[in-house]
Amino acid sequence: MTPPLVLQIANERALEPGSRFVRAFGRLASEGLLRHTVVSPLTLLAGGRETALDQLHTEVRGLRPAAVLVQSPGAFPWTDGDVRALLGLLGDPPVVFWEGDAWGGRKQLTPGSVAWLGAAARVHSVALGPQAALLRRHSRAPVRYVPHVLPLSFDDTPVPPLDQASDDVVAVGNCYVRFGCWGGLEGSLDRVRMVRGLRRLPGCRFAVYGSRWRGRGARGPAPFPRQVEVLRQGRITAGWDHFTGYPGYFSDRLPIALSAGRPHVTSRQPGLEWLPGPETGLHLAGTPAEAVSLVRRLLAVDDDELHAAGLRGHAWVRERLTDREALLHMLGGLVTLPLPPADPWQAFAQPLVPA
């Protein structure tokens, strides 16, 4: 029996093996569970919108997918008519919409996202609360939770011992506050407060990677594929998320940091009770001051104990929270797939915002 075909509509400007979900789809295909085709309209946009749509139709003509996974459409200018025409060409398969960004304040949904939400049979969001309410206004489908996960494009390389670390604490994340002005993203000021507190820790070798940081320890941006590498330069890693008022939300930096195999300190949002705790090296803080205090205590912990906790976090995220498990969660029931691990995925099985 031929495995079902899933069409992925990506939002990358340049498709490559490391693009989101591509390697996870490849893993499922190698297991004989499905077939996979990926297109990214943004790669075609240089010739103009109408030309891009014509090229896209040519690429997918003749396909009859069992389901279509649409990633946050981003900058492509989809309209309702564009979406209907494409789905008609494909035989009107069910659409699974994945929203991997948090929206609100100055960050408003794009028209392309609204167009695809109106056609979606399933909507999965990495944030709930105000975000789920926003998505629900444009969708006939319930909004389901899917956490950010570790992309399998990060290879499972051995975790180096802590005596190879050149820094005590490494933080990764852009700065959106300049000259005391708020950048418009919830959590921006608290991220700066955490970094300032970490810089003041006596005797601490501190490094912060990301755009627009200035001063002690600023190392400039870390390219996405190198994040595990730079995080492993520290004995401890730290971060602070935006949109900390959105239940369930954290960026993909949390699972990436756990995969680095170092104890990680980050912000505590509501709805994260399902995450592992300090035994796996994950420490959640309610305020920047608490995050700095947690780091201070961890700096005094024996390297062997820190390393053991980091290894447990590395194993947990690689076994339970990768984009392979996210695909099993989002596509299950539309195509025949095994269930992801009950811990933690069973907690997300039901819609959290009713239809």
Side-chain angles (χ1 to χ4, degrees), residues 95-137:
V95 171
V96 178
F97 183 97
W98 175 79
E99 184 48 76
D101 288 317
W103 298 90
R106 297 180 186 178
K107 273 188 70 178
Q108 291 301 305
L109 283 177
T110 65
S113 291
V114 172
W116 275 106
L117 281 166
R122 288 188 183 175
V123 176
H124 290 270
S125 172
V126 298
L128 296 173
Q131 164 119 335
L134 173 64
L135 299 178
R136 187 67 187 89
R137 287 201 293 272

Side-chain angles (χ1 to χ4, degrees), residues 246-337:
Y246 284 25
Y249 180 70
F250 52 82
S251 76
D252 54 12
R253 196 162 292 119
L254 187 154
I256 291 170
L258 284 180
S259 78
R262 300 292 194 241
H264 184 59
V265 177
T266 189
S267 51
R268 181 194 300 115
Q269 286 74 255
L272 298 185
E273 297 80 8
W274 58 271
L275 280 170
E279 71 281 357
T280 60
L282 180 60
H283 303 262
L284 302 183
T287 65
E290 184 184 353
V292 174
S293 178
L294 285 169
V295 170
R296 182 186 294 110
R297 292 205 299 270
L298 288 170
L299 287 171
V301 174
D302 177 81
D303 274 3
D304 289 341
E305 185 177 340
L306 293 179
H307 187 55
L311 288 176
R312 288 191 289 270
H314 170 85
W316 189 90
V317 77
R318 297 290 315 192
E319 294 168 2
R320 299 174 184 275
L321 206 69
T322 77
D323 47 4
R324 179 185 181 274
E325 288 74 52
L327 290 178
L328 296 179
H329 172 68
M330 292 190 291
L331 297 172
L334 298 177
V335 296
T336 302
L337 293 170

Side-chain angles (χ1 to χ4, degrees), residues 166-217:
S166 57
D167 298 301
D168 291 313
V169 181
V170 171
V172 177
N174 295 331
C175 176
Y176 292 98
V177 177
R178 293 298 304 276
F179 309 114
C181 297
W182 179 46
L185 292 177
E186 180 188 336
S188 298
L189 288 172
D190 281 342
R191 179 178 291 180
V192 169
R193 292 180 181 116
M194 183 196 71
V195 168
R196 287 174 178 168
L198 294 174
R199 282 174 165 164
R200 289 194 291 265
L201 288 176
C204 176
R205 299 171 298 171
F206 174 70
V208 57
Y209 290 83
S211 300
R212 295 178 291 277
W213 291 109
R214 301 290 185 270
R216 180 191 164 206

